[in-house]
Every structure is written in C-alpha cells, then in structure tokens.
Amino acid sequence: MTGTLLTNITLADGRRADVRVADGTVAAIRQAGHGGPAELTLDCTDLLLLPGLVDLHTHLREPGKEDAETVETGTQAAAMGGFTSVHAMANSTPTADNASVVEQVWRLGRAAGWCDVHPVGAVTVGLGGESLADLGSMAASQAAVRMFSDDGMCVHDAVLMRRALEYVKAFDGVVAQHAQEPKLTAGAQMNESELSGLLGLGGWPAVAEEAIIARDVLLAQHVDSRLHICHVSTAGSVEIIRWAKQRGIAVTAEVTPHHLLLTEELVRSFNPVFKVNPPLRRDEDVQALRAALADGTIDTVGTDHAPHTAETKQCEWTIAAMGMTGLETALPVVQEAMVETGLLDWAGVARVFSATPARIAGLSDQGQVDASGVPLEGSVANLLVWDPSARGVVDPARHATRSRNSPYAGRELPGRTVHMFYRGQRVVADGALATAYRHEPVAP
C-alpha cells in the first residue's frame, strides 16, 4: 500500500508535511522529506492542504430544471470549487418534499460521483407554506435527510414553523430558514435604501429578514430545537443571532460569499447578474457579516449556488430571476474578503468551510480535522490542494456549471484548485476535472 504522496505541502497550521493518501484515507502525515515512496508523487511546494469543503446551501435544479443545471454538472462545479459535500435544496420540479424525490437526487449524486450529495427536504408540501411535508419519511429514506428548508420561500406561518422545529427533534434534524417576511417584500427588487429610491426599484427592507430571525430563534428556544439561518445579509440579523447564541439558543447561521464582498452599488448597472435573494446590501452590512464570520457569530459559508438559464437571467432587471452561481468562486471570494484582510487564517477557513458545516449536518464520514484544520490520520481522504498565490480573471464560459450567471465575470480573484481528492480518488488533477475518473458507488 503506497498510494499517492503529496510532498512538501503546507498544512493549515503552517507546517510543511508529506501526506500519503491510500485506500481512500489519509494514511499518514509525516515531516516534509520523510514521506517515503509512493505509486504517484505530487510535488506540492507552495501549495496548501485543506479539508474538502462542505456546502449547506446548493441548488442543483435536477429534477425538472436540467436546462439550468444537473446533478452531474453541479457536482463537477463543486469539485472544481474544492467541495466534497453539497446539500441540494428542495426547490426542484417536482419539489423534494417526499422520500421518492430525495432518494432520486441522492441516487443521481452517487451515480455522478464527483462529491457527496445530501438532499435537503422541503419543510412544507410543494413549498406552499400550508401543511408540513412528510419529514419523517424523508429522514427514514436512503437519503437520510437531516436538513429541511423551504429555501426560496419563507416558512412564514409561526405555527407551522413551531411544528417543524418540534418534529425534527425526533431524529436530530435541523430546519434551515429562508428569513423573508413576504408581506414586507412584495414587489421588492433590491435592498431598501436611498439608492433603491433613486433607481426606482422596489425596496427590500432589512427588517423583513430580521423580524423572521427574531421570531424563529425564540421559537427554537421555546421548543428546544435546532435552527439554521440561511444566507444572513444584514448587520441587524447578526446582532439578533449574537443575542440568541449568548442565551444558549441552538441557532447556527451561514453567509454567502457574495454578501461578504459585493454591495448594492452594483445594482446601478441594472445588470441582472447582481439580482439575488436576499439582495446585495450596504457596505456597512458587508463589514458586519465579515466580522461575524470571523468571531463565530456566523458559523459557516454557504454558496447559495443558484444557476439560471440565459433566458431567465439575461433580460430586464424587473423580470430577471434571482440568484448567482457560486460553487467555483466561493473559496477565492473568501480568500479575498477574509484571509487577505486578516480576518481569518487558513485554520479558520477550514473551520467555517468544512468542520463546522459538517458538524451542523451531522456528516460523520466527511473527513475529520483537528482544531487547526489539519486532517486526522485514518480519516476519509476528502482533501483540497489549493494554490493561494494564484490569481485569475473569472470567465464563466470556462466554469463546469451549466449556467453562466456569475457576478464575478471579468473580476480578478485569488486562489486556484490544483488537486481535489474525494474519498481518496483524485477528481481534479492539475486544475482540471479528471474526466476519465469513474468510481464504484460509495457506500451510503
């Protein structure tokens, strides 16, 4: 058993090491220069080793919207972005609100083989917000669903939200809320501000997000259940979540890469690529979100990868679909917004992008790391070899995702995936998909 040897690679804690991958595991981590022989040796001088990334918030569109994305293309994009696990949101067609659909998505992920795909079950039937979906059957299915969300729609009925929080306690599930009070956002097109008035676009007030978060953390406290807040976007939301955590309420939260970097000023262009839900906010919100991710108030980064066809995105602003692609640019954005600003070190990146989301989702086989973000010997070899010194201009036409609605087109971003190991298989080699790679289905 000699496997693959990554020589002279930099670990998240700054040490240089030789790391051996064999039989699907991290077989050994040794001082650089002491790794021994191997079937394949990869010189990783000046490269960084990170645990495979985990995304709690991905839209893969299949079934029903394969013109925008498929599980195959979405997981290829995930692999190129450094992700070994993604959670597929329920707003497919048909909705993933029953065991049949979540098992279909789960099987498609296994057949594709680029990363683990964990379906997210809908909270309500058809995302309609009127009656609970069959949460128990989805939890008991082969997909073993543990996260439930009506993302794209808010569970705005307080009684239904309470019932959902109570129900998922039986199997240690979590409800992930898209916090948006619908009556406060009717006709909204962008962040409510002086700029929205100047541009003549319907405003999306911060309180529409904050009011739902405030209600839901109190509900979670009342029933003693787990709540996860999707795509936090305002400084006020950060303060509510911080308040809740100080009181021991079981709430976790995510922020998207685009909310860490982009602001509402981009809407001046009326380019629909910047139309997203929740909307791009003020610079003050961006700074508050960065600080909250650094201090742990916000737990993780979720891409909210939302591919759309050209027909639904390249049109006038008011009728354009909301959403941005993000799997392939997530880590570069976080490197620019958080690492290069000194707010996070690479151990912190490993925490917010891998260890913490894996813990929230209950992924015991994702691949364990220590407190410094260094993989543990014997754990599953879900590993990202990253070049932090690389810089490149984003060209959506070269992305693996089927859609092209990236807000970073033409922008220079740092970092590049060099190699990607998924359960010990090198699915990205020298910066490109290992398209000859095929795997035996992984065990559930």
Side-chain angles (χ1 to χ4, degrees):
M1 180 187 71
T2 54
T4 300
L5 189 67
L6 311 176
T7 63
N8 201 34
I9 196 164
T10 301
L11 304 178
D13 62 4
R15 291 181 293 138
R16 290 185 180 273
D18 290 352
V19 177
R20 185 181 301 278
V21 176
D23 296 334
T25 69
V26 180
I29 300 176
R30 299 289 182 264
Q31 182 181 350
H34 294 77
E39 295 171 24
L40 175 64
T41 298
L42 300 174
D43 181 6
C44 295
T45 302
D46 298 327
L47 302 180
L48 176 69
L49 184 69
L50 291 171
L53 311 183
V54 177
D55 188 11
L56 297 180
H57 196 141
T58 311
H59 297 274
L60 295 180
R61 301 304 188 204
E62 192 175 9
K65 300 176 183 177
E66 291 84 356
D67 53 345
E69 192 77 284
T70 65
V71 172
E72 175 84 19
T73 59
T75 54
Q76 287 180 338
M80 287 299 296
F83 292 89
T84 50
S85 180
V86 298
H87 288 70
M89 282 293 171
N91 57 344
S92 54
T93 305
T95 303
D97 60 3
N98 60 76
S100 176
V101 178
V102 297
E103 286 186 349
Q104 178 186 1
V105 174
W106 177 76
R107 287 193 297 268
L108 287 168
R110 282 167 54 83
W114 297 100
C115 71
D116 287 341
V117 175
H118 301 280
V120 175
V123 176
T124 67
V125 175
L127 309 182
E130 295 183 357
S131 59
L132 282 184
D134 193 348
L135 311 185
S137 70
M138 289 187 279
S141 71
Q142 282 187 301
V145 176
R146 290 298 179 269
M147 178 173 282
F148 298 87
S149 180
D150 276 5
D151 184 63
M153 306 294 289
C154 178
V155 183
H156 58 85
D157 185 300
V159 174
L160 268 180
M161 187 63 179
R162 173 183 173 166
R163 289 176 179 167
L165 288 166
E166 289 174 325
Y167 199 116
V168 300
K169 288 177 62 178
F171 40 80
D172 193 29
V174 59
V175 177
Q177 176 68 293
H178 172 107
Q180 177 191 350
E181 169 51 57
K183 290 186 178 180
L184 288 174
T185 56
Q189 295 286 318
M190 66 168 293
N191 182 49
E192 183 178 275
S193 64
E194 182 179 337
L195 182 59
S196 65
L198 179 66
L199 299 179
L201 294 175
W204 191 305
V207 70
E209 175 176 305
E210 295 157 8
I212 294 294
I213 295 174
R215 181 202 73 178
D216 286 352
V217 296
L218 292 174
L219 285 174
Q221 180 184 43
H222 182 66
V223 303
D224 189 25
S225 188
R226 292 202 296 143
L227 169 71
H228 181 73
I229 306 299
C230 297
H231 43 50
V232 175
S233 71
T234 77
S237 295
V238 167
E239 290 308 309
I240 295 167
I241 294 164
R242 183 174 285 122
W243 176 90
K245 287 191 168 190
Q246 288 170 349
R247 283 152 182 79
I249 300 172
V251 59
T252 55
E254 71 188 36
V255 63
T256 71
H258 46 272
H259 286 114
L260 290 171
L261 188 63
L262 309 179
T263 74
E264 65 172 0
E265 287 297 317
L266 292 166
V267 181
R268 290 182 184 272
S269 68
F270 285 98
N271 184 343
V273 76
F274 300 118
K275 187 177 181 182
V276 67
N277 178 353
L280 301 179
R281 302 289 190 179
R282 309 164 302 161
D283 182 66
E284 297 95 308
D285 296 303
V286 170
Q287 300 309 317
L289 294 169
R290 290 182 181 185
L293 184 63
D295 69 21
T297 301
I298 293 177
D299 300 85
T300 185
V301 176
T303 69
D304 197 8
H305 174 77
H308 290 292
T309 62
E311 291 78 12
T312 58
K313 199 64 173 172
Q314 295 177 14
C315 52
E316 64 182 275
W317 179 281
T318 54
I319 63 172
M322 294 181 179
M324 305 166 168
T325 59
L327 284 168
E328 292 165 83
T329 51
L331 187 50
V333 170
V334 169
Q335 181 175 331
E336 178 169 315
M338 301 298 297
V339 178
E340 295 186 354
T341 57
L343 292 170
L344 279 182
D345 57 15
W346 288 110
V349 171
R351 169 176 57 82
V352 303
F353 250 135
S354 187
T356 299
R359 174 182 55 78
I360 292 169
L363 305 183
S364 59
D365 66 344
Q366 165 61 24
Q368 287 73 45
V369 297
D370 66 18
S372 298
V374 176
L376 300 181
E377 289 188 359
S379 66
V380 176
N382 285 339
L383 303 171
L384 168 60
V385 179
W386 182 254
D387 183 356
S389 64
R391 298 196 72 87
V393 175
V394 176
D395 180 3
R398 302 184 67 178
H399 283 172
T401 174
R402 178 163 286 187
S403 294
R404 300 291 173 253
N405 53 302
S406 170
Y408 310 107
R411 183 171 186 146
E412 185 180 76
L413 290 174
R416 181 177 75 98
T417 297
V418 180
H419 305 294
M420 188 71 216
F421 291 86
Y422 165 55
R423 298 184 178 272
Q425 296 286 339
R426 190 160 59 132
V427 295
V428 175
D430 300 312
L433 287 169
T435 50
Y437 154 74
R438 276 294 173 260
H439 79 298
E440 294 299 320
V442 294

